[in-house]
């Protein structure tokens, strides 16, 4: 962003992009104006490992979830990349408290909106709660019937919330 000439900017991140945005906001407080994250976690628990392992075999995914990824990346490449992601994210369990970036959360000083789908099968509700508890002044909005893809399934409400937050 600095190379593009932006002195300050807001970050929006979903899932691993949300983790990246959390880290970037913590490490660059003078650059990040506002932060919006959804489907993100700051640590990996034993329960998370079980979830990841249950999702490891993409052939068991519904066709609706698997097909777009296979069309985009090719079936074999997607399968291998997903398995490597599961292996990679699972390594955080070996760090103290499974931390990805828990220690950085209190350093986030920009206004932060945390969005979460209450029925997210990938990110249990304790993750957004930890984010809210650890990021001073942050707000949490829960989509009661939302899953991991709230930005797609509830796009109108999602976009309205984000736009209002960014325009405040």
């Amino acid at each position: 962003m600095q190379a593009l000439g932006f002195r300050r900017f807001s970050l929006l991140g979903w899932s691993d992009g949300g983790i990246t945005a959390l880290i970037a906001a913590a490490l660059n407080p003078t650059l990040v104006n506002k932060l919006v994250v959804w489907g993100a976690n700051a640590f990996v628990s034993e329960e998370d490992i079980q979830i990841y392992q249950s999702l490891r075999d993409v052939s068991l995914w519904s066709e609706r979830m698997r097909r777009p990824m296979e069309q985009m990346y090719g079936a074999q490449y997607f399968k291998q990349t997903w398995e490597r992601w599961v292996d990679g994210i699972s390594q955080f369990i070996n760090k103290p408290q499974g931390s990805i970036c828990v220690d950085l959360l209190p350093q986030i000083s920009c206004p932060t909106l945390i969005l979460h789908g209450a029925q997210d099968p990938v990110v249990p509700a304790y993750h957004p709660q930890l984010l809210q508890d650890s990021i001073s002044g942050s707000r949490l909005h829960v989509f009661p019937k939302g899953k991991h893809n709230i930005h797609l399934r509830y796009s109108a409400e999602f976009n309205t919330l984000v736009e209002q937050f960014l325009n405040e």
Side-chain angles (χ1 to χ4, degrees), residues 15-104:
S15 200
D16 287 356
I19 297 169
T20 301
L22 291 165
I23 294 168
L27 297 178
N28 300 282
T30 62
L31 299 177
V32 180
N33 187 44
K34 291 187 177 183
L35 175 64
V36 181
V37 295
W38 65 103
N41 53 307
F43 70 95
V44 172
S45 70
E46 289 292 343
E47 180 182 348
D48 296 323
I49 297 293
Q50 292 173 5
I51 292 169
Y52 304 150
Q53 289 301 325
S54 75
L55 298 172
R56 181 183 188 86
D57 185 351
V58 297
S59 71
L60 301 176
W61 292 18
S62 70
E63 185 175 343
R64 181 181 63 83
M65 295 302 290
R66 185 183 66 249
R67 185 185 315 160
M69 302 301 274
E70 290 178 341
Q71 289 174 338
M72 175 68 69
Y73 302 108
Q76 188 61 29
Y77 180 77
F78 171 59
K79 176 186 181 302
Q80 291 173 342
T81 301
W82 182 256
E83 289 171 353
R84 289 177 184 146
W85 178 85
V86 169
D87 293 341
I89 194 76
S90 297
Q91 291 302 307
F92 283 102
I93 199 71
N94 300 317
K95 294 196 167 243
Q97 292 85 46
S99 180
I100 299 171
C101 62
V102 172
D103 56 321
L104 295 175

Side-chain angles (χ1 to χ4, degrees), residues 126-163:
Y126 51 81
H127 286 295
Q129 190 59 61
L130 174 85
L131 296 179
Q132 184 183 29
D133 293 345
S134 302
I135 303 170
S136 180
S138 62
R139 291 187 247 165
L140 172 60
H141 179 88
V142 176
F143 291 75
K145 294 185 179 182
K147 295 186 179 180
H148 196 62
N149 62 345
I150 54 176
H151 61 296
L152 301 174
R153 180 73 172 88
Y154 300 97
S155 58
E157 180 183 359
F158 179 92
N159 289 337
T160 298
L161 287 166
V162 171
E163 187 174 338

